[in-house]
Amino acid sequence: MQSQELMFSAEEKMEFLRSYLELRRQTRTLINEYEFEKLRQIIYEATANDQYGRDRNGNSILLRNLNTALILSKEVGLDRSTLLSILLYNVVAHHSLAIEDIEKEFGADVAGIISHLIKTESLYSKHATV
């Protein structure tokens, strides 16, 4: 198991903390304290098990997803389900957490979005022309 220090550069770690706290502030009315704590635990465990990793360009997938959720919460005003789905997609896609667990913890709406994202991703991987 890799430590979080190896997974994030010092600069990425600072950016992650800033973005995480900002997202928490931005979504306080959408995502309750219990859900945010559960999300934090899932992210921590997934990071410790290298479930997020890096994309083809070497960028942290977790940091990218966090910043995407932050931008969308500020600029577009996305709802709770979509924001949680952005942050939880990778842990389900990498089989770290079952879709049933997501449904139990965060609801059928979040589980449904993630399920559809996984189906869409598999479509893209099977058919390059898509």
Side-chain angles (χ1 to χ4, degrees), residues 38 40 48 52 61 77 86 101 113 123 126:
K38 190 67 181 169
R40 188 196 63 75
Y52 284 97
I61 293 172
I86 291 167
D101 296 328
I113 292 170
L123 222 174
K126 290 178 185 175

Side-chain angles (χ1 to χ4, degrees), residues 38-56:
K38 190 67 181 169
L39 177 64
R40 188 196 63 75
Q41 289 172 354
I42 290 168
I43 288 172
Y44 180 82
E45 289 173 18
T47 302
N49 293 315
D50 198 23
Q51 293 296 311
Y52 284 97
R54 296 191 174 271
D55 64 16
R56 286 181 234 142

Side-chain angles (χ1 to χ4, degrees), residues 23-114:
L23 182 65
R24 181 64 193 120
R25 190 181 68 71
Q26 285 286 334
T27 61
R28 195 168 299 279
T29 60
L30 297 173
I31 303 171
N32 68 45
E33 196 65 39
Y34 170 79
E35 289 177 323
F36 216 87
E37 178 57 26
K38 190 67 181 169
L39 177 64
R40 188 196 63 75
Q41 289 172 354
I42 290 168
I43 288 172
Y44 180 82
E45 289 173 18
T47 302
N49 293 315
D50 198 23
Q51 293 296 311
Y52 284 97
R54 296 191 174 271
D55 64 16
R56 286 181 234 142
N57 300 318
N59 299 316
S60 167
I61 293 172
L62 174 58
L63 192 54
R64 182 195 64 206
N65 290 355
L66 182 62
N67 285 329
T68 299
L70 182 58
I71 290 167
L72 292 174
S73 73
K74 283 182 181 177
E75 303 297 325
V76 181
L78 287 183
D79 66 359
R80 169 199 163 275
S81 303
T82 307
L83 293 171
L84 287 170
S85 298
I86 291 167
L87 296 168
L88 294 167
Y89 165 77
N90 284 85
V91 294
V92 176
H94 290 105
H95 309 291
S96 179
L97 208 59
I99 198 74
E100 294 80 17
D101 296 328
I102 296 294
E103 185 171 357
K104 180 182 170 189
E105 290 296 331
F106 300 100
D109 49 346
V110 176
I113 292 170
I114 294 172

